[in-house]
Amino acid sequence: MAIATTNPTTGETLKTFTPATAAEIEQAIDRAAEAYGHYRHSEFSWRSQLMNRAADILDTNKKQYAQLMTLEMGKPIKSAIAEVEKCAWVCRYYAEHAEQFLADEVIETDASKSYVSYQPLGIVLAVMPWNFPFWQVFRFAAPTLMAGNVGLLKHASNVPQCALAIAEVFNEAGFPEAVFQTLLIGASQVAEVIEDDRVMAATLTGSEHAGASLAANAGKLIKKTLLELGGSDPYIVMPSAKLDDAVDVAVTARLLNNGQSCIAAKRFILDQEIAKNFTNKLLAKFKDLKIGDPMNENTNIGPLATPQILDDLDKQVSISINKGAKALIGGEKMGDRPGNFYPPTILTDIPFGSPAYGEELFGPVATVFVVENMHEAIALANSSEFGLGASAWTNDPIEQKHFIQDLQAGTVFINGMVKSDPRLPFGGIKKSGYGRELGKHGIHEFVNIKTVWLK
Ligand code: NDP
């Protein structure tokens, strides 16, 4: 994919960028290695000051950054502003807590003193996606830089201006030169970076294919990776749930970011007792949504990020319909306008083996499944190859216990929508990836957990 800003609302390419050459990549790694030599010895209090300053810069310029995201990948402007605010939050969170999370831990042994010391690793590469162009990067950068590492960002090729703006935030905040750098490179150049001896680890958020490729390259060189990949999160509703609340939240849980979120609720698994009622209410809400220019504050659904995402989704839905699924609303591309628009869609009667049954649908398409009881709901939820998040709606304590215990996912939310929060660890199992971001666990991913023993 060319490195370029192409407005998904109009299809117009506004700016193109030349990928960095091998020599430029080498220079960037040189600079990062040199920066690490000094930065790793810096005090937490100083790093905190810089990280808080980054948060202030984000808050001050939030409209400008939000417009950039909306321009490059089409998310509704209101959620783009909220995304920048969340980035400021994660910066402040780690500015406040990193020192305590990484404090030495004394463990009594036969030594006169033995303890665990958390030390930085060095240069960490981040390969990031376009769906939350600021958030995905800041949730990597805030803990990683606070731990004393330095970061290299390879952002998705369709959000280059966001990538450059993020590097500028850290620069303006006063982080030493090259502690955080953006490399404008294509996917095929990632291997070159990971193969450099000075690059110690890598994190990737994106598709299974990209994750497997990065992890294979890193694995050959015994380098640590963290993968945050796709999801096909279940959203289970049982008869004891507050139905109107479950419906209201379902709309946001499925359609946030035009449906392009790894933790979006994608499979609505409904107990037969409430299935019809829930589906009718959801349909009424989908009918009310405003599709249009994402720069307009009243728009609920903007375009998908790229023509490829649109084509992939369209194919998945049309094959599923050909195999017998029914669209209660939507189900076809919107041919009447430019840009990558796809309408909010609800599919029912989805046959086993169709794309809508087993694959991740990265767009505004809700799939509905009806089950006879909790056990069937859990079995269907767990039949996915993914295991990122799961949301279950029930006020029955026994059912709650079963969902918490038995759902195969990195996160379970009861009576709420799965969302990331700087204070809570975030990540998946199965093909959704491994490792954890955020919280105390997140900052421990890219450190050397060093055992120290003294007599
Ligand atoms: P990709 O996984 O292709 O892109 C994510 C990032 O990985 C980008 O920076 C991309 O670079 C890079 N990349 C792609 N291939 C490789 C590779 N072989 N080695 C190293 N880096 C690579 O996602 P897409 O944009 O193509 O979206 C495809 C699907 O991925 C979606 O439909 C969705 O299912 C899933 N996805 C999941 C996300 C999540 O949040 N978990 C986010 C985005 C996508 P470049 O842009 O230059 O190709």
Side-chain angles (χ1 to χ4, degrees):
M1 201 185 350
I3 302 177
T5 300
T6 299
N7 185 346
T9 307
T10 61
E12 196 187 348
T13 296
L14 304 168
K15 206 165 178 181
T16 53
F17 295 81
T18 311
T21 61
E24 286 165 340
I25 295 174
E26 174 68 22
Q27 277 168 16
I29 298 175
D30 271 350
R31 281 200 300 270
E34 201 192 320
Y36 176 62
H38 308 287
Y39 183 68
R40 62 190 287 258
H41 297 299
S42 60
E43 299 284 334
F44 275 109
S45 57
W46 183 65
R47 290 180 208 157
S48 292
Q49 268 178 33
L50 303 182
M51 200 52 84
N52 279 322
R53 225 179 278 155
D56 293 342
I57 292 166
L58 286 164
D59 276 338
T60 307
N61 303 323
K62 66 181 164 196
K63 251 191 147 163
Q64 175 197 331
Y65 298 143
Q67 282 168 354
L68 203 49
M69 284 193 266
T70 299
L71 175 74
E72 291 196 306
M73 53 65 69
K75 73 172 60 211
I77 190 73
K78 267 195 196 156
S79 51
I81 290 173
E83 179 170 338
V84 183
E85 288 167 350
K86 196 167 172 183
C87 294
W89 180 18
V90 80
C91 289
R92 292 195 177 102
Y93 174 77
Y94 280 108
E96 186 182 346
H97 296 286
E99 184 169 10
Q100 159 212 341
F101 290 157
L102 298 177
D104 289 348
E105 270 174 46
V106 174
I107 297 169
E108 299 293 335
T109 64
D110 56 334
S112 35
K113 184 176 183 188
S114 46
Y115 62 99
V116 176
S117 164
Y118 297 100
Q119 301 183 350
L121 284 181
I123 303 175
V124 184
L125 169 69
V127 180
M128 290 290 143
W130 42 264
N131 58 343
F132 294 93
F134 268 58
W135 170 245
Q136 308 274 27
V137 177
F138 277 91
R139 81 174 174 196
F140 149 74
T144 307
L145 300 192
M146 281 306 300
N149 297 297
V150 301
L152 278 180
L153 168 66
K154 180 271 181 276
H155 216 324
S157 291
N158 56 330
V159 289
Q161 296 195 58
C162 288
L164 294 170
I166 292 167
E168 202 39 47
V169 170
F170 289 114
N171 215 3
E172 258 183 58
F175 280 91
E177 202 198 322
V179 163
F180 184 95
Q181 296 179 80
T182 281
L183 277 175
L184 291 182
I185 56 173
S188 61
Q189 295 170 285
V190 170
E192 207 173 312
V193 180
I194 194 77
E195 280 162 15
D196 189 288
D197 285 344
R198 295 162 294 177
V199 175
M200 303 302 285
T203 177
L204 181 142
T205 300
S207 62
E208 265 173 85
H209 169 77
S213 158
L214 176 96
N217 284 325
K220 275 187 236 155
L221 298 158
I222 329 289
K223 293 188 184 184
K224 163 119 187 197
T225 50
L226 184 152
L227 299 181
E228 204 272 273
L229 309 177
S232 188
D233 286 6
Y235 189 100
I236 300 169
V237 186
M238 300 302 291
S240 65
K242 286 191 179 157
L243 201 67
D244 287 335
D245 290 358
V247 174
D248 282 346
V249 174
V251 178
T252 312
R254 176 55 284 207
L255 299 178
L256 184 80
N257 213 31
N258 305 332
Q260 303 159 114
S261 168
C262 48
I263 45 165
K266 296 188 178 117
R267 295 178 294 143
F268 292 85
I269 300 177
L270 311 174
D271 185 279
Q272 57 184 354
E273 215 177 302
I274 49 82
K276 201 159 178 212
N277 207 357
F278 181 96
T279 310
N280 287 340
K281 284 172 186 268
L282 190 68
L283 179 60
K285 299 238 174 230
F286 270 42
K287 280 182 179 160
D288 273 351
L289 295 164
K290 289 191 184 64
I291 306 167
D293 181 356
M295 289 290 183
N296 182 332
E297 291 208 345
N298 296 320
T299 294
N300 303 115
I301 306 285
L304 298 179
T306 64
Q308 184 68 49
I309 296 287
L310 175 64
D311 286 347
D312 290 349
L313 183 69
D314 185 46
K315 214 175 281 168
Q316 288 171 307
V317 173
S318 57
I319 295 173
S320 303
I321 290 175
N322 283 339
K323 289 193 168 198
K326 290 195 178 72
L328 298 185
I329 181 173
E332 277 179 20
K333 263 195 221 182
M334 302 174 75
D336 55 341
R337 59 194 314 162
N340 313 322
F341 286 90
Y342 197 89
T345 295
I346 299 176
L347 295 180
T348 63
D349 303 280
I350 298 156
F352 179 78
S354 65
Y357 193 98
E359 296 175 12
E360 177 178 30
L361 300 180
F362 221 59
V365 181
T367 57
V368 171
F369 300 87
V370 181
V371 291
E372 283 185 10
N373 53 46
M374 176 196 69
H375 298 291
E376 218 181 277
I378 291 172
L380 181 59
N382 289 346
S383 67
S384 168
E385 60 181 0
F386 297 107
L388 196 52
S391 171
W393 291 72
T394 169
N395 285 305
D396 176 333
I398 293 172
E399 285 179 354
Q400 291 183 353
K401 206 171 148 197
H402 276 286
F403 287 131
I404 293 166
Q405 194 75 35
D406 297 336
L407 285 170
Q408 294 169 356
T411 300
V412 175
F413 276 61
I414 301 291
N415 297 329
M417 158 183 155
V418 177
K419 59 183 184 208
S420 60
D421 179 320
R423 298 163 293 191
L424 295 170
F426 180 90
I429 57 169
K430 296 161 85 177
K431 287 207 173 151
S432 293
Y434 50 75
R436 292 293 177 266
E437 298 191 275
L438 299 175
K440 181 179 172 179
H441 299 80
I443 201 169
H444 284 166
E445 288 285 353
F446 295 120
V447 289
N448 174 12
I449 302 173
K450 188 181 271 182
T451 299
V452 182
W453 192 100
L454 299 100
K455 192 90 185 176

